[in-house]
PDB file of all heavy atoms in Angstrom:
ATOM      1  N   LEU A 127      19.510  14.779 -23.930  1.00 85.00           N
ATOM      2  CA  LEU A 127      20.441  15.542 -24.712  1.00 85.00           C
ATOM      3  C   LEU A 127      20.390  15.201 -26.238  1.00 85.00           C
ATOM      4  O   LEU A 127      20.414  16.003 -27.125  1.00 85.00           O
ATOM      5  CB  LEU A 127      21.859  15.557 -24.322  1.00 85.00           C
ATOM      6  CG  LEU A 127      22.880  16.511 -24.963  1.00 85.00           C
ATOM      7  CD1 LEU A 127      22.399  18.048 -25.039  1.00 85.00           C
ATOM      8  CD2 LEU A 127      24.212  16.516 -24.276  1.00 85.00           C
ATOM      9  N   ARG A 128      20.260  13.836 -26.383  1.00 87.00           N
ATOM     10  CA  ARG A 128      20.106  13.293 -27.753  1.00 87.00           C
ATOM     11  C   ARG A 128      18.855  13.949 -28.503  1.00 87.00           C
ATOM     12  O   ARG A 128      18.939  14.419 -29.645  1.00 87.00           O
ATOM     13  CB  ARG A 128      19.887  11.784 -27.688  1.00 87.00           C
ATOM     14  CG  ARG A 128      19.372  11.125 -29.093  1.00 87.00           C
ATOM     15  CD  ARG A 128      18.902   9.762 -28.835  1.00 87.00           C
ATOM     16  NE  ARG A 128      17.748   9.544 -27.961  1.00 87.00           N
ATOM     17  CZ  ARG A 128      16.521   9.776 -28.355  1.00 87.00           C
ATOM     18  NH1 ARG A 128      16.195  10.206 -29.622  1.00 87.00           N
ATOM     19  NH2 ARG A 128      15.559   9.548 -27.466  1.00 87.00           N
ATOM     20  N   ARG A 129      17.784  14.028 -27.740  1.00 90.00           N
ATOM     21  CA  ARG A 129      16.553  14.685 -28.315  1.00 90.00           C
ATOM     22  C   ARG A 129      16.818  16.188 -28.501  1.00 90.00           C
ATOM     23  O   ARG A 129      16.387  16.833 -29.503  1.00 90.00           O
ATOM     24  CB  ARG A 129      15.309  14.382 -27.485  1.00 90.00           C
ATOM     25  CG  ARG A 129      14.861  12.879 -27.637  1.00 90.00           C
ATOM     26  CD  ARG A 129      13.826  12.745 -26.608  1.00 90.00           C
ATOM     27  NE  ARG A 129      13.071  11.364 -26.820  1.00 90.00           N
ATOM     28  CZ  ARG A 129      12.421  10.753 -25.903  1.00 90.00           C
ATOM     29  NH1 ARG A 129      12.308  11.112 -24.668  1.00 90.00           N
ATOM     30  NH2 ARG A 129      11.833   9.543 -26.248  1.00 90.00           N
ATOM     31  N   ILE A 130      17.305  16.747 -27.530  1.00 89.00           N
ATOM     32  CA  ILE A 130      17.500  18.269 -27.522  1.00 89.00           C
ATOM     33  C   ILE A 130      18.327  18.705 -28.736  1.00 89.00           C
ATOM     34  O   ILE A 130      17.959  19.723 -29.428  1.00 89.00           O
ATOM     35  CB  ILE A 130      18.046  18.743 -26.237  1.00 89.00           C
ATOM     36  CG1 ILE A 130      16.993  18.617 -25.037  1.00 89.00           C
ATOM     37  CG2 ILE A 130      18.453  20.246 -26.357  1.00 89.00           C
ATOM     38  CD1 ILE A 130      17.497  18.938 -23.730  1.00 89.00           C
ATOM     39  N   LEU A 131      19.458  18.008 -28.877  1.00 85.00           N
ATOM     40  CA  LEU A 131      20.353  18.427 -30.045  1.00 85.00           C
ATOM     41  C   LEU A 131      19.556  18.464 -31.346  1.00 85.00           C
ATOM     42  O   LEU A 131      19.762  19.393 -32.195  1.00 85.00           O
ATOM     43  CB  LEU A 131      21.485  17.394 -30.181  1.00 85.00           C
ATOM     44  CG  LEU A 131      22.676  17.551 -29.107  1.00 85.00           C
ATOM     45  CD1 LEU A 131      23.621  16.353 -29.226  1.00 85.00           C
ATOM     46  CD2 LEU A 131      23.285  18.858 -29.221  1.00 85.00           C
ATOM     47  N   GLN A 132      18.775  17.316 -31.645  1.00 87.00           N
ATOM     48  CA  GLN A 132      18.012  17.318 -32.871  1.00 87.00           C
ATOM     49  C   GLN A 132      16.832  18.273 -32.794  1.00 87.00           C
ATOM     50  O   GLN A 132      16.427  18.669 -33.998  1.00 87.00           O
ATOM     51  CB  GLN A 132      17.509  15.873 -33.056  1.00 87.00           C
ATOM     52  CG  GLN A 132      18.795  14.857 -33.097  1.00 87.00           C
ATOM     53  CD  GLN A 132      18.454  13.410 -33.262  1.00 87.00           C
ATOM     54  OE1 GLN A 132      18.286  12.910 -34.409  1.00 87.00           O
ATOM     55  NE2 GLN A 132      18.253  12.701 -32.166  1.00 87.00           N
ATOM     56  N   LEU A 133      16.202  18.467 -31.691  1.00 89.00           N
ATOM     57  CA  LEU A 133      14.976  19.336 -31.598  1.00 89.00           C
ATOM     58  C   LEU A 133      15.498  20.735 -32.059  1.00 89.00           C
ATOM     59  O   LEU A 133      14.643  21.500 -32.592  1.00 89.00           O
ATOM     60  CB  LEU A 133      14.366  19.281 -30.214  1.00 89.00           C
ATOM     61  CG  LEU A 133      13.554  18.026 -30.036  1.00 89.00           C
ATOM     62  CD1 LEU A 133      13.201  17.859 -28.508  1.00 89.00           C
ATOM     63  CD2 LEU A 133      12.244  17.949 -30.851  1.00 89.00           C
ATOM     64  N   ARG A 134      16.620  21.159 -31.618  1.00 86.00           N
ATOM     65  CA  ARG A 134      17.086  22.540 -31.891  1.00 86.00           C
ATOM     66  C   ARG A 134      17.168  22.817 -33.329  1.00 86.00           C
ATOM     67  O   ARG A 134      17.025  23.982 -33.836  1.00 86.00           O
ATOM     68  CB  ARG A 134      18.503  22.835 -31.175  1.00 86.00           C
ATOM     69  CG  ARG A 134      18.285  22.942 -29.654  1.00 86.00           C
ATOM     70  CD  ARG A 134      19.730  23.165 -29.114  1.00 86.00           C
ATOM     71  NE  ARG A 134      19.648  23.307 -27.606  1.00 86.00           N
ATOM     72  CZ  ARG A 134      20.644  23.172 -26.851  1.00 86.00           C
ATOM     73  NH1 ARG A 134      21.876  22.842 -27.294  1.00 86.00           N
ATOM     74  NH2 ARG A 134      20.624  23.427 -25.530  1.00 86.00           N
ATOM     75  N   GLU A 135      17.433  21.738 -34.150  1.00 82.00           N
ATOM     76  CA  GLU A 135      17.550  21.827 -35.523  1.00 82.00           C
ATOM     77  C   GLU A 135      15.983  22.191 -36.134  1.00 82.00           C
ATOM     78  O   GLU A 135      15.905  22.930 -37.100  1.00 82.00           O
ATOM     79  CB  GLU A 135      18.097  20.626 -36.267  1.00 82.00           C
ATOM     80  CG  GLU A 135      19.457  20.330 -35.822  1.00 82.00           C
ATOM     81  CD  GLU A 135      20.473  21.192 -36.515  1.00 82.00           C
ATOM     82  OE1 GLU A 135      20.382  21.379 -37.844  1.00 82.00           O
ATOM     83  OE2 GLU A 135      21.249  21.756 -35.840  1.00 82.00           O
ATOM     84  N   LEU A 136      15.104  21.586 -35.450  1.00 86.00           N
ATOM     85  CA  LEU A 136      13.647  21.707 -35.979  1.00 86.00           C
ATOM     86  C   LEU A 136      12.873  22.871 -35.289  1.00 86.00           C
ATOM     87  O   LEU A 136      12.123  23.450 -36.056  1.00 86.00           O
ATOM     88  CB  LEU A 136      12.858  20.401 -35.511  1.00 86.00           C
ATOM     89  CG  LEU A 136      13.484  19.021 -36.122  1.00 86.00           C
ATOM     90  CD1 LEU A 136      12.722  17.821 -35.554  1.00 86.00           C
ATOM     91  CD2 LEU A 136      13.358  19.050 -37.618  1.00 86.00           C
ATOM     92  N   VAL A 186      12.357   9.055 -38.413  1.00 88.00           N
ATOM     93  CA  VAL A 186      13.732   8.680 -38.026  1.00 88.00           C
ATOM     94  C   VAL A 186      14.862   9.523 -38.433  1.00 88.00           C
ATOM     95  O   VAL A 186      15.789   9.916 -37.873  1.00 88.00           O
ATOM     96  CB  VAL A 186      13.977   7.173 -38.293  1.00 88.00           C
ATOM     97  CG1 VAL A 186      15.398   6.725 -38.055  1.00 88.00           C
ATOM     98  CG2 VAL A 186      12.940   6.357 -37.676  1.00 88.00           C
ATOM     99  N   GLU A 187      14.599  10.157 -39.665  1.00 84.00           N
ATOM    100  CA  GLU A 187      15.596  10.938 -40.279  1.00 84.00           C
ATOM    101  C   GLU A 187      15.647  12.317 -39.634  1.00 84.00           C
ATOM    102  O   GLU A 187      16.681  12.937 -39.297  1.00 84.00           O
ATOM    103  CB  GLU A 187      15.244  11.247 -41.696  1.00 84.00           C
ATOM    104  CG  GLU A 187      15.613  10.114 -42.682  1.00 84.00           C
ATOM    105  CD  GLU A 187      14.685   8.859 -42.357  1.00 84.00           C
ATOM    106  OE1 GLU A 187      13.489   9.113 -42.033  1.00 84.00           O
ATOM    107  OE2 GLU A 187      15.051   7.732 -42.594  1.00 84.00           O
ATOM    108  N   GLU A 188      14.463  12.712 -39.062  1.00 86.00           N
ATOM    109  CA  GLU A 188      14.412  14.071 -38.303  1.00 86.00           C
ATOM    110  C   GLU A 188      14.942  13.947 -36.890  1.00 86.00           C
ATOM    111  O   GLU A 188      15.598  14.715 -36.426  1.00 86.00           O
ATOM    112  CB  GLU A 188      12.991  14.535 -38.164  1.00 86.00           C
ATOM    113  CG  GLU A 188      12.253  15.063 -39.343  1.00 86.00           C
ATOM    114  CD  GLU A 188      10.897  15.481 -39.130  1.00 86.00           C
ATOM    115  OE1 GLU A 188      10.119  14.669 -38.523  1.00 86.00           O
ATOM    116  OE2 GLU A 188      10.504  16.618 -39.492  1.00 86.00           O
ATOM    117  N   MET A 189      14.662  12.842 -36.322  1.00 90.00           N
ATOM    118  CA  MET A 189      15.144  12.538 -34.934  1.00 90.00           C
ATOM    119  C   MET A 189      15.421  11.067 -34.627  1.00 90.00           C
ATOM    120  O   MET A 189      14.498  10.231 -34.521  1.00 90.00           O
ATOM    121  CB  MET A 189      13.804  12.782 -33.945  1.00 90.00           C
ATOM    122  CG  MET A 189      13.934  12.528 -32.541  1.00 90.00           C
ATOM    123  SD  MET A 189      14.608  13.866 -31.554  1.00 90.00           S
ATOM    124  CE  MET A 189      13.323  15.018 -31.635  1.00 90.00           C
ATOM    125  N   LEU A 190      16.712  10.852 -34.767  1.00 91.00           N
ATOM    126  CA  LEU A 190      17.147   9.443 -34.519  1.00 91.00           C
ATOM    127  C   LEU A 190      16.867   9.108 -33.058  1.00 91.00           C
ATOM    128  O   LEU A 190      17.115   9.718 -32.079  1.00 91.00           O
ATOM    129  CB  LEU A 190      18.676   9.365 -34.734  1.00 91.00           C
ATOM    130  CG  LEU A 190      19.183   8.948 -36.105  1.00 91.00           C
ATOM    131  CD1 LEU A 190      20.661   8.944 -36.050  1.00 91.00           C
ATOM    132  CD2 LEU A 190      18.649   7.659 -36.463  1.00 91.00           C
ATOM    133  N   PRO A 191      16.113   7.865 -32.853  1.00 92.00           N
ATOM    134  CA  PRO A 191      15.696   7.479 -31.624  1.00 92.00           C
ATOM    135  C   PRO A 191      16.906   6.908 -30.756  1.00 92.00           C
ATOM    136  O   PRO A 191      17.965   6.660 -31.348  1.00 92.00           O
ATOM    137  CB  PRO A 191      14.632   6.444 -31.817  1.00 92.00           C
ATOM    138  CG  PRO A 191      14.999   5.930 -33.190  1.00 92.00           C
ATOM    139  CD  PRO A 191      15.586   7.037 -34.049  1.00 92.00           C
ATOM    140  N   ALA A 242      22.996   8.199 -30.665  1.00 90.00           N
ATOM    141  CA  ALA A 242      21.645   7.604 -31.069  1.00 90.00           C
ATOM    142  C   ALA A 242      21.936   6.635 -32.172  1.00 90.00           C
ATOM    143  O   ALA A 242      22.866   6.771 -32.941  1.00 90.00           O
ATOM    144  CB  ALA A 242      20.664   8.695 -31.557  1.00 90.00           C
ATOM    145  N   LEU A 257      24.141   8.579 -34.785  1.00 89.00           N
ATOM    146  CA  LEU A 257      24.402   9.990 -34.478  1.00 89.00           C
ATOM    147  C   LEU A 257      25.698   9.969 -33.525  1.00 89.00           C
ATOM    148  O   LEU A 257      25.738   9.372 -32.464  1.00 89.00           O
ATOM    149  CB  LEU A 257      23.295  10.715 -33.913  1.00 89.00           C
ATOM    150  CG  LEU A 257      23.538  12.173 -33.387  1.00 89.00           C
ATOM    151  CD1 LEU A 257      22.126  12.872 -33.568  1.00 89.00           C
ATOM    152  CD2 LEU A 257      24.024  12.303 -31.906  1.00 89.00           C
ATOM    153  N   PHE A 266      27.504  17.494 -33.825  1.00 80.00           N
ATOM    154  CA  PHE A 266      27.139  16.103 -34.134  1.00 80.00           C
ATOM    155  C   PHE A 266      27.179  15.810 -35.477  1.00 80.00           C
ATOM    156  O   PHE A 266      27.034  16.652 -36.394  1.00 80.00           O
ATOM    157  CB  PHE A 266      25.845  15.701 -33.374  1.00 80.00           C
ATOM    158  CG  PHE A 266      24.611  16.383 -34.060  1.00 80.00           C
ATOM    159  CD1 PHE A 266      23.913  15.719 -34.952  1.00 80.00           C
ATOM    160  CD2 PHE A 266      24.109  17.553 -33.594  1.00 80.00           C
ATOM    161  CE1 PHE A 266      22.804  16.199 -35.665  1.00 80.00           C
ATOM    162  CE2 PHE A 266      22.979  18.186 -34.056  1.00 80.00           C
ATOM    163  CZ  PHE A 266      22.308  17.397 -35.098  1.00 80.00           C
ATOM    164  N   LYS A 268      25.629  12.712 -38.416  1.00 84.00           N
ATOM    165  CA  LYS A 268      24.711  11.624 -38.577  1.00 84.00           C
ATOM    166  C   LYS A 268      25.257  10.893 -39.839  1.00 84.00           C
ATOM    167  O   LYS A 268      25.860  11.469 -40.789  1.00 84.00           O
ATOM    168  CB  LYS A 268      23.304  12.010 -38.910  1.00 84.00           C
ATOM    169  CG  LYS A 268      22.487  12.599 -37.726  1.00 84.00           C
ATOM    170  CD  LYS A 268      21.151  12.896 -38.129  1.00 84.00           C
ATOM    171  CE  LYS A 268      20.373  13.362 -36.847  1.00 84.00           C
ATOM    172  NZ  LYS A 268      18.897  13.614 -37.311  1.00 84.00           N
TER     173      LYS A 268
END
Side-chain angles (χ1 to χ4, degrees):
L127 182 54
R128 167 189 65 82
R129 285 170 170 161
I130 291 174
L131 286 173
Q132 298 177 90
L133 286 167
R134 284 176 179 166
E135 298 286 312
L136 301 171
V186 171
E187 288 68 33
E188 288 178 313
M189 175 91 67
L190 268 178
L257 179 150
F266 66 91
K268 287 183 180 180

